[in-house]
């Protein structure tokens, strides 16, 4: 059992939970995720670790209620317990000194992007962060992103905050004005697809995280199959991060569509 120490809502369906998990907090690295089971009858939910405090022994999870299981997790309050939290899982992000790194996050994708941009900044990179959402009330973790970025660009679909437009609009402007050595992108599959198409045009190496497609989290269910460089990969054990220019996003997007 893992006790929830803090809880807050970013929006109606997105909650931030600070959870006791001392072993995971000490071992986790940027890019790692955990499997969360809400109660003894709950299903396995993969969630990327948004932050950790190894002194306090806690990890931070950002949960979006999109189904019964994630809604049940979001319904928990401080003082309640999660039945199981297992991890850290997956392959960690390759952190290094690249030069200028642009980190692009869409919606709740900003949460798993946060530890990556923090580590990239700590490694001596110039970090430009572009965070986007449909509207102002869906922008999350802005203060935390600003604290670890040299520059922050905010884009909203409706123009209610920051600048009106998509992640790609902000990204292209950055790439037109200065040399970019690496792009990291996490968010909806269609967003990552168009970020990848844009960075391919500018010949900028790009890393994407495909965590949204994971189900079981251990490679046993096969639901997270994705084609990368013409070969089948499992996101949960081979990723969740891949060379975005090698990912077959059209196939991935097709598999994410609900069955009629």
């Amino acid at each position: 059992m893992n006790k929830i120490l803090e809880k807050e809502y970013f929006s109606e369906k997105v909650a931030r939970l600070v959870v006791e998990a001392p072993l995971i907090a000490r071992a986790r690295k940027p890019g790692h995720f955990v499997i969360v089971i809400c109660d003894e009858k709950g299903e396995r939910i993969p969630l990327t670790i948004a932050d950790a405090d190894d002194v306090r022994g806690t990890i931070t999870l950002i949960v979006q209620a999109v189904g019964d299981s994630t809604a049940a997790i979001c319904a928990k309050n401080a003082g309640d317990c999660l039945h199981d939290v297992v991890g850290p899982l997956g392959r960690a992000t390759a952190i290094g000194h690249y030069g200028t790194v642009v980190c692009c996050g869409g919606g709740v994708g900003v949460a798993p992007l946060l530890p990556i941009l923090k580590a990239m900044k700590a490694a001596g990179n110039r970090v430009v962060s572009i965070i986007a959402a449909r509207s102002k009330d869906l922008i999350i973790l802005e203060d935390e992103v600003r604290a670890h970025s040299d520059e922050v660009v905010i884009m909203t679909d409706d123009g209610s905050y920051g600048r009106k437009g998509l992640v790609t609009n902000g990204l292209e402007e950055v790439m037109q004005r200065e040399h970019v050595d690496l792009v990291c992108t996490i968010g909806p599959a269609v967003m990552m697809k168009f970020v990848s198409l844009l960075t391919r045009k500018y010949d900028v190496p790009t890393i994407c995280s495909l965590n949204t497609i994971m189900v079981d989290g251990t490679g046993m269910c096969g639901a997270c199959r994705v084609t990368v460089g013409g070969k089948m990969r499992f996101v949960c054990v081979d990723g969740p991060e891949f060379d975005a220019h090698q990912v077959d996003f059209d196939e991935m997007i097709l598999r994410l569509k609900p069955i009629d």
Side-chain angles (χ1 to χ4, degrees):
M1 304 287 281
N2 297 80
K3 189 175 182 180
I4 298 170
L5 301 183
E6 300 174 22
K7 176 191 176 182
E8 68 172 315
Y9 276 105
F10 287 137
S11 63
E12 180 183 359
K13 293 188 176 182
V14 179
R16 171 184 172 271
L17 304 178
V18 177
V19 180
E20 278 187 337
L23 296 179
I24 298 174
R26 288 199 296 268
R28 72 94 206 192
K29 294 181 179 179
H32 280 154
F33 67 94
V34 293
I35 294 292
V36 176
I37 300 177
C38 183
D39 53 48
E40 60 183 9
K41 295 183 178 179
E43 63 180 327
R44 301 163 63 90
I45 302 296
L47 296 170
T48 307
I49 302 169
D51 201 0
D53 186 333
D54 58 353
V55 175
R56 192 181 179 196
T58 62
I59 60 172
T60 300
L61 304 174
I62 309 298
V63 190
Q64 183 175 27
V66 294
D68 291 344
S69 295
T70 46
I73 295 172
C74 286
K76 294 275 190 177
N77 293 305
D80 294 338
C81 291
L82 297 169
H83 192 273
D84 287 297
V85 179
V86 179
L89 301 170
R91 295 178 180 270
T93 306
I95 302 298
H97 188 274
Y98 299 97
T100 295
V101 178
V102 179
C103 296
C104 303
V108 292
V110 176
L113 190 68
L114 179 60
I116 295 172
L117 68 88
K118 287 174 67 174
M120 288 294 186
K121 180 61 180 174
N125 296 285
R126 166 173 161 77
V127 174
V128 179
S129 296
I130 304 174
I131 56 178
R134 294 193 303 276
S135 58
K136 179 180 180 179
D137 59 317
L138 298 177
I139 294 289
I140 66 171
L141 298 170
E142 179 186 349
D143 291 342
E144 291 85 348
V145 170
R146 288 191 182 279
H148 301 278
S149 304
D150 294 280
E151 179 183 354
V152 176
V153 177
I154 297 177
M155 308 294 298
T156 51
D157 292 358
D158 61 3
S160 57
Y161 190 49
R163 296 163 51 194
K164 184 175 183 178
L166 305 174
V167 163
T168 47
N169 298 126
L171 175 59
E172 186 158 30
E173 289 188 14
V174 173
M175 292 192 295
Q176 286 178 340
R177 77 172 190 228
E178 64 182 285
H179 176 77
V180 173
D181 297 282
L182 179 70
V183 169
C184 300
T185 181
I186 308 180
V190 68
M191 184 205 89
M192 293 188 290
K193 171 187 174 179
F194 283 100
V195 167
S196 175
L197 290 173
L198 180 61
T199 57
R200 186 192 297 271
K201 170 183 167 184
Y202 286 87
D203 195 27
V204 177
T206 303
I207 297 169
C208 64
S209 179
L210 308 185
N211 50 27
T212 56
I213 203 173
M214 293 190 295
V215 178
D216 174 80
T218 63
M220 296 180 66
C221 70
C224 68
R225 294 188 306 273
V226 64
T227 301
V228 181
K231 297 181 180 179
M232 186 185 73
R233 294 287 183 259
F234 290 86
V235 172
C236 59
V237 293
D238 297 318
E241 296 175 4
F242 298 94
D243 178 345
H245 297 161
Q246 298 295 315
V247 174
D248 186 338
F249 282 106
D250 290 333
E251 176 190 67
M252 178 181 169
I253 291 168
L254 184 63
R255 292 186 58 241
L256 287 171
K257 287 186 177 179
I259 299 174
D260 295 329

